[in-house]
Amino acid sequence: MTRYSRVIGTGGYLPEEIRTNEHISNTVDTSDSWIFERTGIKSRHIAAKHETASSMAEIAARQAIAAAACDLEDIDIIIVATGTPDRVYPSTGCLLQQRLGIKNCVAFDIQAACSGSIFALSIADQYIKSGAAKKVLVVGTEICSRIVDWTDRSTCILFGDGAGAVLLAVSEETGILSTHIHSDGEYEDLLYCPNPQVATDANGQQAGYINMRGNEVFKVAVNTLGRIVDETLEANNMDKSEIDWLVPHQANIRIIAATAKKLKMSMDQVVVTLETQGNTSSASVLLAFNEAVRDGRIQRGQVVLLEAFGAGFTWGSALIRY
Ligand code: ACO
């Protein structure tokens, strides 16, 4: 039997508080029009004090599990992608396992910044295809607002909080067609977040905030995402026209539009959540996917291209027949 990883449930969670561009322009020198024109963002959700990556992950995960009508005890693996874990350890995956009350599964985190959910999907797919697991829960969850310097206008306008989840199950019907993941550690200086409790990094940077040379990151992101589109299509011997939906990482509308153009896709075929969510890092692709599944845009049998680019640099794609 050919084994595929099929999406059997999706979920998402966004915190209640909404922080608009106007809010931010009261504290740093920026404006709603600058932010919207350069990024496509109007507002983002901000987690409450009591919320954590694992508490948000639990809500998204329970939604995906309910949508799949899956027994908790049937889940073999929990993979959580996050750059903002509750604790250095235990992993957010283990904390989520505890919250869900699942005894007999393995749980762990992966860290690939904004590409985290694609990396997690890729790992999950390998376990399912090989026969080592039957059901894998993949969650991307981030409290970016806690690693953003709210006095730095070049980064604080971009990020938001949230969690997205998918439950994958082994199936003879097609599901994930292929995944492609890459890393290049040469670009550390362009985008990084120090861990001040552990070490002072090479730049002497102490504060644990996101540092980004946005303009340079932008150029690499556009080129790299163009290449991952070609790689994915070639691996599946597929033409651009066969893709029904693009579900991109939500960093900047201009990056998203460049990828859509490369695919000769109209923006109507692109799932965009950026305007109201900002960049939720490893949660963004799964949040967007969940939204378009739940509102009925993405239909069973359609071909969906998920892609992301983030710190590392890391980048990747997952081609799914939903
Ligand atoms: N409001 C007003 N002016 C601003 C702001 C702001 N919020 N931020 C920067 N500016 C100014 C700059 O100071 C600069 O002024 P100058 O010309 O006088 O020097 C000017 O605007 C242009 O700045 P750029 O940085 O060149 O602006 P750009 O058009 O590149 O937009 C942005 C910046 C939105 C950050 C863009 O570069 C971007 O989206 N980059 C990619 C981000 C990304 O994809 N990251 C990867 C994922 S994140 C992760 O992995 C954690």
Side-chain angles (χ1 to χ4, degrees):
M1 147 187 171
T2 309
R3 290 189 191 84
Y4 289 99
S5 311
R6 191 167 164 79
V7 175
I8 59 166
T10 67
Y13 173 72
L14 292 163
E16 208 176 299
E17 188 195 331
I18 293 170
R19 194 166 295 173
T20 62
N21 291 348
E22 283 84 3
H23 272 106
I24 296 178
S25 59
N26 289 333
T27 50
V28 292
D29 182 16
T30 189
S31 64
D32 174 45
S33 58
W34 193 96
I35 300 171
F36 187 61
E37 278 160 29
R38 296 288 180 116
T39 69
I41 301 166
K42 282 244 165 229
S43 61
R44 66 290 289 146
H45 292 255
I46 304 292
K49 277 205 176 91
H50 67 274
E51 291 183 303
T52 63
S54 73
S55 75
M56 299 197 304
E58 181 186 3
I59 301 169
R62 284 196 187 277
Q63 237 183 52
I65 293 162
C70 170
D71 216 334
L72 284 171
E73 293 306 321
D74 288 345
I75 295 172
D76 301 309
I77 307 177
I78 296 172
I79 309 176
V80 172
T82 186
T84 51
D86 298 21
R87 302 186 183 283
V88 173
Y89 46 77
S91 69
T92 307
C94 286
L95 299 178
L96 177 59
Q97 177 187 25
Q98 179 199 51
R99 284 174 174 275
L100 294 173
I102 307 174
K103 291 269 174 253
N104 299 312
C105 76
V106 64
F108 56 90
D109 288 3
I110 68 112
Q111 216 286 57
C114 297
S115 312
S117 56
I118 301 288
F119 276 54
L121 283 174
S122 182
I123 295 165
D125 188 40
Q126 311 311 316
Y127 274 96
I128 290 177
K129 277 196 310 207
S130 71
K134 290 197 175 80
K135 288 202 169 76
V136 182
L137 175 65
V138 172
V139 184
T141 182
E142 297 282 3
I143 302 208
C144 296
S145 61
R146 298 205 186 136
I147 57 164
V148 155
D149 176 357
W150 287 98
T151 65
D152 172 10
R153 69 174 182 176
S154 68
T155 53
C156 76
I157 57 161
L158 300 171
F159 295 94
D161 302 335
V166 291
L167 188 58
L168 298 170
V170 67
S171 171
E172 285 179 45
E173 284 181 79
T174 51
I176 294 181
L177 299 171
S178 69
T179 61
H180 307 266
I181 56 173
H182 298 276
S183 315
D184 185 347
E186 284 298 308
Y187 291 95
E188 178 196 355
D189 280 356
L190 297 192
L191 177 52
Y192 64 95
C193 180
N195 185 349
Q197 282 163 303
V198 177
T200 302
D201 75 13
N203 302 329
Q205 180 74 37
Q206 292 279 352
Y209 295 133
I210 298 170
N211 286 256
M212 180 166 70
R213 303 216 309 252
N215 197 277
E216 289 160 78
V217 175
F218 185 97
K219 288 175 198 150
V220 184
V222 170
N223 287 329
T224 309
L225 289 170
R227 288 204 309 275
I228 199 85
V229 165
D230 289 336
E231 181 185 335
T232 312
L233 290 171
E234 266 168 41
N236 291 280
N237 202 13
M238 218 179 237
D239 186 74
K240 295 177 170 87
S241 60
E242 293 173 73
I243 297 179
D244 297 298
W245 291 101
L246 174 64
V247 182
H249 170 51
Q250 313 280 319
N252 188 310
I253 194 69
R254 293 179 289 141
I255 298 176
I256 295 174
T259 310
K261 192 172 167 207
K262 163 106 192 157
L263 282 162
K264 294 200 168 68
M265 279 178 129
S266 112
M267 286 304 279
D268 294 342
Q269 291 170 276
V270 183
V271 182
V272 181
T273 55
L274 191 64
E275 187 169 331
T276 55
Q277 296 177 17
N279 179 349
T280 56
S281 194
S282 66
S284 92
V285 172
L286 297 183
L287 270 167
F289 185 62
N290 173 57
E291 189 171 302
V293 164
R294 283 179 182 265
D295 68 19
R297 271 178 288 173
I298 296 178
Q299 296 283 321
R300 283 285 176 202
Q302 288 187 322
V303 177
V304 188
L305 176 62
L306 279 55
E307 49 85 342
F309 178 90
F313 287 142
T314 55
W315 64 99
S317 67
L319 192 69
I320 299 179
R321 187 177 295 280
Y322 180 69

